[in-house]
Amino acid sequence: MSTSPSRVAVFGAGYVGLVTGACFADLGHSVVVRDVIPDRVAALQRGEVPIYEPGLEELIARNAERLTFTLDVPEAIDGAEFVYIAVGTPPTYSGDADLSAVWTVIDELPALERHCVVVMKSTVPVGTGLRVRHRLDERGLTHVGYASNPEFTAEGTAVKDFLHPDRIVVGAFRDEDGDSVAALHAGIEGPVVRCDVASAEMIKLAANAALMTRISFINEIANVCEATGADVVRVAEGIGLDRRIGPSFLRAGLGYGGSCFPKDSLALKQLAANSGYHFQLLNAVIEVNELQKRRVVGKLSNHLGSLRHKRIALLGLAFKPDTDDMREAPSLVLAGRLLAEGAAVVAWDPIVDGGDLHGVEIAASPEAAAVGADAIVIVTEWPELADVDWAAVGETMRTRVLIDGRNMLDPEPLRAAGYTVEGIGRAAHDGAG
Ligand code: UGA
């Protein structure tokens, strides 16, 4: 395995492409990131990072001499030994992944005479690699290799996840291509799983499906806890200590969102259906998640009666803390449902500016959002919320109702400050009758 620096082209300067490019540069490789959006490339060339991802800006700045940005395909490809594809694969109307950006990259590749390896980082349906292989062959690029090297980075911890992975997965049609992609990661500690291309594609989809299944599972347990008087936080702790189960991804809440889980679950569902298989468990996981986002509306109505003209403060908009990403955020569904009920919705988030949320008033702080509110809903567990003086906030509210959609606050001091508090799946803890 060679460990000498390589030339890497990365197509796509989104979350995945930027993290991939910056991390490979940090490993000593020479990287050119190519994107089609002129403003994005210009900003990156000025040293401005257009997304919020902890550690990324420093990483890009630190590796500036090995990391450049361009709109130009020939400039990106020039001398590249690896061509990483990290473009978006959003769902189409049918739920299938839209691979048009992937095909554009393949078709834009010049008639390369030398050997290089096209590496798929974007999440794609199983079978895509084989189709790309055929397309490359049709174009006479039989000497160009192909590998699948899926990403397992989570937003907010993407740089750390890339440089300290649980595993690196490399699927290739030819062993030597897999060897070179694995060698490109020299300097990163972690097991390398080598397999065929289809299995690498499935590992990515199955990993996300397993995580989503855990979330919907604990959310359903939470709902049964509410009906039976148990506390899901204690239940998750109690089952998570079983080594066979483990503690991760057992936080009950308002459901999962983000750019990956909702999209990937639909893509896997469609992939199975297109292949003639009805993936019952995954369908249930998706449905439970949709219902979970809406359950808060029922909780608010239980405490406030009709929500018409009630003022509801949503604290947190991003789909999770430490990101500015609003894609499929539960806050979007919740805000929409509350507005449809005739409520006035005011929201705060430390990073998301909320300008796109039609009909929602944006507040500059959690305290400002709560003034005159009939209820607060904690939608995203931003750490800032742990430091709020909730007793003082309560003084400014019209009714002290707090729905803790992420079970992040200790309900006892809140209750002592006069709040009616309800979490998710914490019937016993709520003491609520
Ligand atoms: C997820 C996976 O964790 C990554 O491994 C994967 O690479 C990535 O998708 C992807 O496919 O690109 P991400 O969407 O950034 O990463 O965020 P997560 O931290 O996994 O959270 C996803 C959602 O699940 C969030 O809305 C979060 O609030 C929710 N969640 C997570 C829960 O409701 N409960 C939990 O216990 C954990």
Side-chain angles (χ1 to χ4, degrees), residues 151-153 155 204 208 249-251 256-257 260 319-320:
E151 58 96 15
F152 302 101
T153 55
E155 285 177 28
K204 166 67 193 184
N208 275 1
F249 277 71
L250 287 179
R251 279 178 287 115
Y256 59 76
C260 306
F319 83 96
K320 65 173 189 175

